[in-house]
Amino acid sequence: MTAVDDRPRTTGIVKVFENLDVPEGFKAELLRGVIVMMAGPDVAHNDIVEAVQDQIPRQRWRRLQTQDIAILEETSQPQPDLVVLERGAGPGHGRLMPSEVITLLVEVVSKTSVDRDYMVKRSIYAAAKIPAYFIIDPVMAQCVLLTEPVGHGEDADYRRQRITKFGDLTPMEPLDLDLDTSEFAAYENVRPHRYP
């Protein structure tokens, strides 16, 4: 009798991704079985991530940058700009953080990631039941907090959406704080888009 391999056929792409030699100055993500490589971010992008991280109390929350996330049912290993989970939750070692322990994911939109952040990652994070997904958009000078994930696969989405403009206090219920966005800088000379 021959053993049947029940593993998804996507394990090959996962192996390719995990052994990928990413050039310096680039980052790579696996999003629903597709390897996406992008150049390093704008300075304004990094300043925003730093400003958010500084406002999340370290005593209660782990605030991890460049942390790969394991979302196995989605054949995805995204690397959000900021991963927030309760202090003491999740492993202390390893490359992948399990999606089940995450409270909030933060993505800062770049000039080339608009569709990915608003559509693909929104669906992937909702399918993984990430409680809150926070999109910071320097193109439109706004923040979008998404909560209450519902659905499965590519049809997954968030039921609640709150949009605030840069400069306004942004309530972050999942973290029990109001985020000051007054330091967030909008990108210059970039065409507006149609999201959210």
Side-chain angles (χ1 to χ4, degrees):
M1 187 167 177
T2 306
V4 176
D5 187 355
D6 290 353
R7 292 176 298 174
R9 293 176 185 240
T10 55
T11 56
I13 192 69
V14 171
K15 285 183 182 178
V16 168
F17 176 71
E18 289 178 347
N19 292 307
L20 189 65
D21 187 18
V22 180
E24 189 173 327
F26 286 81
K27 83 172 193 176
E29 298 178 296
L30 181 63
L31 303 176
R32 289 207 167 111
V34 175
I35 296 172
V36 178
M37 198 173 300
M38 62 218 83
D42 189 286
V43 172
H45 173 286
N46 290 338
D47 284 340
I48 290 171
V49 174
E50 180 186 43
V52 172
Q53 183 173 345
D54 287 350
Q55 293 181 64
I56 299 172
R58 187 180 186 284
Q59 298 77 12
R60 180 165 179 213
W61 302 102
R62 291 174 74 184
R63 305 135 336 138
L64 308 174
Q65 292 184 39
T66 65
Q67 178 64 59
D68 292 326
I69 306 301
I71 305 176
L72 301 179
E73 54 281 344
E74 289 289 310
T75 318
S76 296
Q77 294 181 16
Q79 189 185 91
D81 293 314
L82 191 63
V83 177
V84 182
L85 58 151
E86 288 190 36
R87 181 127 328 260
H93 300 283
R95 185 180 68 79
L96 293 170
M97 182 63 66
S99 60
E100 299 82 27
V101 300
I102 295 169
T103 302
L104 173 92
L105 293 178
V106 178
E107 295 284 5
V108 178
V109 175
S110 72
K111 297 169 188 174
T112 59
S113 73
V114 174
D115 291 334
R116 221 174 15 257
D117 291 337
Y118 275 103
M119 298 296 293
V120 179
K121 288 186 176 183
R122 177 177 178 152
S123 172
I124 289 172
Y125 296 158
K129 304 301 182 224
I130 303 294
Y133 174 33
F134 189 51
I135 302 171
I136 303 172
D137 187 345
V139 175
M140 303 298 289
Q142 68 185 15
C143 299
V144 181
L145 178 63
L146 301 162
T147 56
E148 298 181 21
V150 294
H152 302 282
E154 292 183 18
D155 294 328
D157 201 356
Y158 286 90
R159 193 180 333 221
R160 288 189 59 214
Q161 171 177 290
R162 176 186 297 124
I163 300 172
T164 55
K165 291 292 181 191
F166 282 11
D168 294 344
L169 279 179
T170 300
M172 303 284 286
E173 292 92 352
L175 305 181
D176 195 29
L177 63 88
D178 289 331
L179 190 72
D180 178 3
T181 64
S182 62
E183 290 183 34
F184 294 5
Y187 297 142
E188 296 179 5
N189 303 317
V190 180
R191 292 178 66 169
H193 57 74
R194 57 184 164 83
Y195 297 109

